[in-house]
Amino acid sequence: MLSDVTTPQDLDDRFRETLAALATPPQRRDPARPVTDDTTLTGARALDLFDAQATSRQLDLAGRWLRSFGEGFYTIGSAGHEGNAAVAAALRATDPALLHYRSGAFYCVRAAQADRPAPPERPEAERPEAEQPAAADGPVEADPAGTGDDSRPDAADPDEPTGGAGSVAARPLAPAYAEAARDVLRGMVASSLEPVAGGRHKVFGRADLAVVPTTSTIASHLPRAVGMGLAVERLRRLETSGRRDGVRVGSGGGAAQASWPPDAIVVCSFGDASVNHASATAAFNTAGWYDHTGLRIPVLFVCEDNGLGISVRSPRGWVETTLRSKPGVRYFAADGDDLVRAYEVATEAAAWVRRHRRPAVLHLSTVRLMGHAGADAETAYRSAGEIAADLDRDPLAGTARLLVGAGVATGEELLARYDEIGWQVRRIAEEVLDEPKLSAPAEVVAPLAPRRPVRVSRAVADAAARAAGPGAAARTEAFGGRPPELTGPLTLAQSINAALADGMLDHPQMAVFGEDVGVKGGVYGVTKGLRDRFGAARVFDTLLDETSILGLGLGAGLAGMLPVPEIQYLAYLHNAEDQVRGEAATMQFFSQGAFRNPMVVRVAGLAYQEGFGGHFHNDNSVAVLRDVPGLVIAVPARPDDAAPMLRTCLASAAVDGSVCVFLEPIALYHTRDLYADGDGEWLAHYAEPGAWTGGHVPIGRARVYGVGSAEDVTIITFGNGVPMSLRAAATLADEGIGTRVVDLRWLSPLPVADVIREAAATGRVLVVDETRRSGGVGEGVIAALVDAGYVGAARRVAGVDSFVPLGPAARHVLVSEEAITQGARTLLAR
């Protein structure tokens, strides 16, 4: 008697009862033939998919078994979602896939596909009229169901069995399925031998399968998928024109070297509850927005709809209504419990996206069996009738009925097959139990953010050599005959602009994008002229959504580009922080460097703008960024620091796959003077390429200014604090006090060695922190000093724990020169 909860035993018992009740088919069908008259899915292929579904189911059961004695650490399974095997079968092994956590069957199929090349698509002229691509600027009507498509990967494999009593039960489990099972089980037990995350998390991912790991339980990976689609299409066009520039997936730094084919499409899956998440809304909106403009993005979204988000129901009809209403995104729907229909519709959807290079969504109805996870008591929010109804829709049982009804197998044979797979999965589970776990902090963080400063320095030197040598003529032409080193002293904004141009010249795969960066040249003119020099394909305006901007960067970086997105104001970054924290910074950590998303995010930020105030344009909060492991945060204060620091960030992204935030102080963009009006002391000459190597600024190295004797007090600061501290130091020098002003330049990683050395030189440290007292940069500096055993005097001058108000009121909450001067005097009076 089954209970009212779908426990592993319930599910297993019900499946066995179903197979036992299946009547023996009156005659056997050749597995090389389609299983029904209205499909191209052969019996042999359906048997393969049954194996994938059964492997996935047995993995779920094994996960619960491992958890029962404390050796399994992940119990969210795929039971009820095994219909996604049909989606995988409709795709190619070279289509990059970002999968949610109920993708066991998909992963098994992808593993089996990896060595089987897809048949070529028919030439355009040979396709029936219904298959011809629609005009780029016209409406696209649905292809009628069942239109022939020879690109479907469903042709019978000559090596597959072709019938005979008992042949089904005798079929060995495909080695690829066993390998996929081992991958998943290693993730469950946190084995350090797991091929992608190495025991850091349970993910579906492998570089050689083009499966990009994502740990998201919601839809935060969807914006990345849109960015990947945009980049895949751009690279396809470059390859078609013979100008791909050798860009490859994960190029450099030991990352995956396999490039995606020109006609690849991106697939990403998510649950029905996630359709409500802001990240999903952003992704659909961005895909549709670009489609509306005529820019093609080949992405297939797959919404696996089991009607529940843990315990919260999706209102009946809501998901379909939501997905159908997305402008520019073609809608397809299928029953995931029906293998034939799921396969046919998924094949149609994938072929449509591949052919038209446009976004689509496949709405796949599913069920959820065994609850959300091991600890989920479904009876708290579901009736016994609902649970029983879902058991009746078990997709694995549905595939078994299909095979028996088609005369491809008997219920007895399939049950034997199911048990054989179960035995092999359990055996693998027992084997991985004894595998090593991560055993030391250094081992855990090793792939987080590799730093190879010598290689980065060499990359800067190589860029200098190219700019001064073979690229000199192109560089002169790009700058209109007058390179920036010949134009006289520059402001911070002008120096960044010139460095961006030099970066674009040296990195053919680099792209600059964001709100207003193209035609307008940025709201502060920092990107002015770049679009005219490098074209709209490399410098372009985006829609107004920070999540989408960062998602485009994440996907583009993963596809082999070097993205430089701009977030218009620091306050706007907070709308999209998870794209940096949960998506960008985790990629190398959860793939052991097999996948990278190199990116340099330019952000205009910090306070002290005169005449244009208020919180959103004067945000001084960087705590959320400094809390992200592995993230590089650069804050240039001077023009002659900005260019070399930006070159370092670009080189680090290209060499190490780093994710860098280049935080530009708005108030210093156009500053020219330091001590008095007209002195021009905050301008600086742009270094010629021959001087780039000598002026290289490594990540995590500070700049030190000596004022007076520089023996009495050390001021440690950054950003706007640098000119204020230098002016305060000049005042102190008139009083006979010598000051060392240390510009951190890098907020993560902090230049700890420089800080300790300069603090020890005077024994008195004043930390000038323009962020806030709570959660500000100053806390990190003081903590670093304490950890290093510093025993001298120290105090802080920091911003008040407040948002920045409008107008003169801002002066009451921000650091002032007077406060710096008084702080130093107080420190000296101790």
Side-chain angles (χ1 to χ4, degrees):
M1 182 71 179
L2 295 177
S3 71
D4 293 338
V5 182
T6 47
T7 66
Q9 188 64 46
D10 290 335
L11 194 57
D12 187 62
D13 286 348
R14 173 66 72 92
F15 181 70
R16 292 175 178 279
E17 289 180 4
T18 299
L19 265 60
L22 294 177
T24 301
Q27 62 180 13
R28 301 299 291 253
R29 181 190 297 247
D30 182 353
R33 294 175 53 198
V35 289
T36 62
D37 294 336
D38 61 346
T39 184
T40 57
L41 182 67
T42 66
R45 194 63 187 279
L47 283 170
D48 278 344
L49 297 183
F50 173 83
D51 280 1
Q53 292 179 320
T55 302
S56 179
R57 178 63 56 82
Q58 293 290 1
L59 283 169
D60 289 348
L61 299 178
R64 300 299 178 95
W65 172 69
L66 289 166
R67 185 72 187 95
S68 70
F69 54 92
E71 291 292 342
F73 307 103
Y74 198 91
T75 56
I76 297 178
S78 303
H81 284 244
E82 291 91 351
N84 57 37
V87 179
L91 297 164
R92 298 176 183 171
T94 50
D95 291 329
L98 295 86
L99 306 177
H100 75 144
Y101 50 42
R102 300 195 190 278
S103 301
F106 186 112
Y107 187 73
C108 289
V109 173
R110 174 56 65 91
Q113 286 174 325
D115 297 324
R116 178 184 297 176
E121 262 197 86
R122 283 178 289 176
E124 199 79 32
E126 296 180 14
R127 296 179 190 149
E129 184 177 352
E131 292 183 357
Q132 297 290 337
D137 58 352
V140 178
E141 299 298 330
D143 291 336
T147 55
D149 181 5
D150 289 345
S151 69
R152 294 171 178 172
D154 55 21
D157 190 326
D159 295 329
E160 291 174 326
T162 56
S167 63
V168 172
R171 285 160 49 99
L173 180 65
Y177 290 168
E179 184 180 4
R182 189 177 299 275
D183 291 348
V184 174
L185 288 165
R186 280 172 164 165
M188 289 179 181
V189 301
S191 165
S192 62
L193 301 183
E194 193 274 333
V196 174
R200 291 167 185 82
H201 196 65
K202 164 33 180 87
V203 296
F204 290 112
R206 256 178 54 186
D208 59 332
L209 302 182
V211 178
V212 180
T214 172
T215 63
S216 174
T217 58
I218 49 170
S220 64
H221 58 299
L222 269 63
R224 180 200 292 276
V226 175
M228 289 174 68
L230 185 69
V232 164
E233 183 62 8
R234 175 183 182 272
L235 297 177
R236 183 185 75 87
R237 292 175 182 271
L238 286 175
E239 184 160 291
T240 300
S241 63
R243 297 184 297 107
R244 189 160 182 171
D245 303 314
V247 177
R248 297 165 83 73
V249 180
S251 58
Q257 293 294 307
S259 59
W260 294 320
D263 65 345
I265 68 173
V266 179
V267 60
C268 60
S269 58
F270 58 101
D272 56 288
S274 294
V275 78
N276 304 297
H277 197 274
S279 296
T281 299
F284 281 117
N285 185 68
T286 302
W289 189 87
Y290 276 116
D291 188 78
H292 189 73
T293 68
L295 188 63
R296 298 306 179 222
I297 298 183
V299 176
L300 177 61
F301 300 100
V302 181
C303 178
E304 298 186 17
D305 182 0
N306 62 29
L308 290 163
I310 304 183
S311 67
V312 179
R313 303 172 191 271
S314 293
R316 185 177 297 276
W318 170 250
V319 176
E320 178 179 352
T321 300
T322 300
L323 295 177
R324 280 187 178 276
S325 68
K326 301 300 182 184
V329 181
R330 175 76 175 270
Y331 178 83
F332 295 86
D335 183 354
D337 309 330
D338 182 341
L339 186 69
V340 169
R341 295 271 54 85
Y343 175 75
E344 291 295 328
V345 175
T347 301
E348 181 188 0
W352 188 90
V353 173
R354 194 180 311 280
R355 193 166 301 137
H356 297 287
R357 318 304 295 169
R358 299 178 66 184
V361 59
L362 171 59
H363 184 193
L364 194 69
S365 61
T366 65
V367 294
R368 190 184 71 189
L369 305 177
M370 294 197 295
H372 174 71
D376 182 27
E378 288 186 281
T379 49
Y381 56 88
R382 303 185 76 193
S383 69
E386 288 175 307
I387 295 172
D390 276 0
L391 280 167
D392 290 339
R393 292 179 55 198
D394 181 353
L396 185 59
T399 301
R401 294 189 191 98
L402 170 70
L403 291 167
V404 173
V408 178
T410 67
E412 183 180 1
E413 289 171 341
L414 294 177
L415 182 56
R417 186 84 198 122
Y418 174 77
D419 284 338
E420 170 67 16
I421 292 171
W423 178 84
Q424 293 197 43
V425 169
R426 181 65 65 91
R427 177 180 58 80
I428 295 170
E430 292 172 348
E431 291 173 358
V432 301
L433 278 173
D434 296 327
E435 292 183 349
K437 307 288 194 295
L438 296 170
S439 57
E443 195 176 354
V444 172
V445 303
L448 175 63
R451 296 276 183 266
R452 292 177 291 189
V454 174
R455 292 194 185 186
V456 170
S457 176
R458 188 182 306 135
V460 171
D462 291 344
R466 286 188 291 269
R475 182 170 183 265
T476 300
E477 181 181 358
F479 283 109
R482 196 177 185 196
E485 59 267 24
L486 301 180
T487 60
L490 305 181
T491 63
L492 180 72
Q494 291 169 332
S495 183
I496 294 172
N497 177 277
L500 286 171
D502 272 323
M504 296 285 280
L505 288 165
D506 193 59
H507 299 279
Q509 72 273 35
M510 178 174 159
V512 174
F513 53 91
E515 300 165 29
D516 300 305
V517 304
V519 177
K520 183 178 176 65
V523 294
Y524 293 99
V526 180
T527 57
K528 185 176 181 179
L530 294 180
R531 184 176 183 270
D532 294 336
R533 293 175 188 169
F534 300 102
R538 298 187 63 195
V539 181
F540 57 91
D541 293 317
T542 64
L543 72 175
L544 194 154
D545 178 60
E546 286 71 32
T547 294
S548 297
I549 293 170
L550 293 174
L552 291 174
L554 289 169
L558 196 61
M561 295 175 63
L562 182 55
V564 184
E566 178 186 293
I567 301 299
Q568 199 165 87
Y569 289 101
L570 178 58
Y572 299 169
L573 179 67
H574 305 314
N575 301 327
E577 286 159 357
D578 187 54
Q579 292 296 300
V580 174
R581 184 199 66 83
E583 293 293 318
T586 61
M587 179 52 68
Q588 295 202 87
F589 184 71
F590 288 129
S591 71
Q592 300 185 95
F595 291 101
R596 319 182 317 164
N597 40 223
M599 188 164 63
V600 179
V601 186
R602 292 183 46 253
V603 183
L606 302 178
Y608 297 98
Q609 285 196 83
E610 293 292 335
F612 190 46
H615 162 61
F616 278 102
H617 303 99
N618 283 276
D619 186 19
N620 61 343
S621 175
V622 299
V624 70
L625 292 173
R626 294 194 65 248
D627 185 55
V628 178
L631 190 69
V632 173
I633 307 174
V635 183
R638 289 185 56 90
D640 48 347
D641 278 337
M645 289 173 70
L646 182 54
R647 280 193 286 270
T648 297
C649 287
L650 292 173
S652 182
V655 170
D656 291 328
S658 301
V659 180
C660 305
V661 173
F662 199 74
L663 182 57
E664 303 164 5
I666 298 172
L668 299 180
Y669 268 149
H670 306 299
T671 297
R672 306 176 68 87
D673 307 320
L674 175 59
Y675 300 110
D677 290 345
D679 67 14
E681 291 288 335
W682 210 248
L683 300 173
H685 287 276
Y686 191 85
E688 62 179 356
W692 291 359
T693 302
H696 173 57
V697 178
I699 292 174
R701 291 303 306 271
R703 178 171 181 169
V704 181
Y705 301 83
V707 181
S709 67
E711 296 178 351
D712 299 310
V713 64
T714 299
I715 298 178
I716 300 174
T717 188
F718 63 95
N720 293 289
V722 178
M724 287 194 295
S725 295
L726 287 172
R727 286 191 288 268
T731 299
L732 293 170
D734 291 341
E735 301 172 11
I737 300 170
T739 306
R740 294 169 181 252
V741 176
V742 180
D743 178 2
L744 294 170
R745 299 195 294 196
W746 307 92
L747 302 189
S748 183
L750 283 171
V752 174
D754 294 335
V755 165
I756 293 169
R757 182 190 65 247
E758 298 304 321
T762 64
R764 301 180 186 89
V765 172
L766 179 68
V767 180
V768 176
D769 180 6
E770 66 174 291
T771 62
R772 300 165 191 170
R773 179 164 292 274
S774 298
V777 176
E779 290 182 340
V781 174
I782 295 295
L785 289 170
V786 171
D787 288 345
Y790 173 74
V791 294
R795 65 179 287 117
R796 285 188 294 159
V797 176
V800 174
D801 290 344
S802 168
F803 298 109
V804 180
L806 189 66
R811 299 170 190 163
H812 299 299
V813 299
L814 297 175
V815 173
S816 65
E817 293 174 30
E818 293 76 16
I820 297 170
T821 306
Q822 187 56 45
R825 292 179 181 133
T826 301
L827 191 62
L828 289 162
R830 287 186 176 180

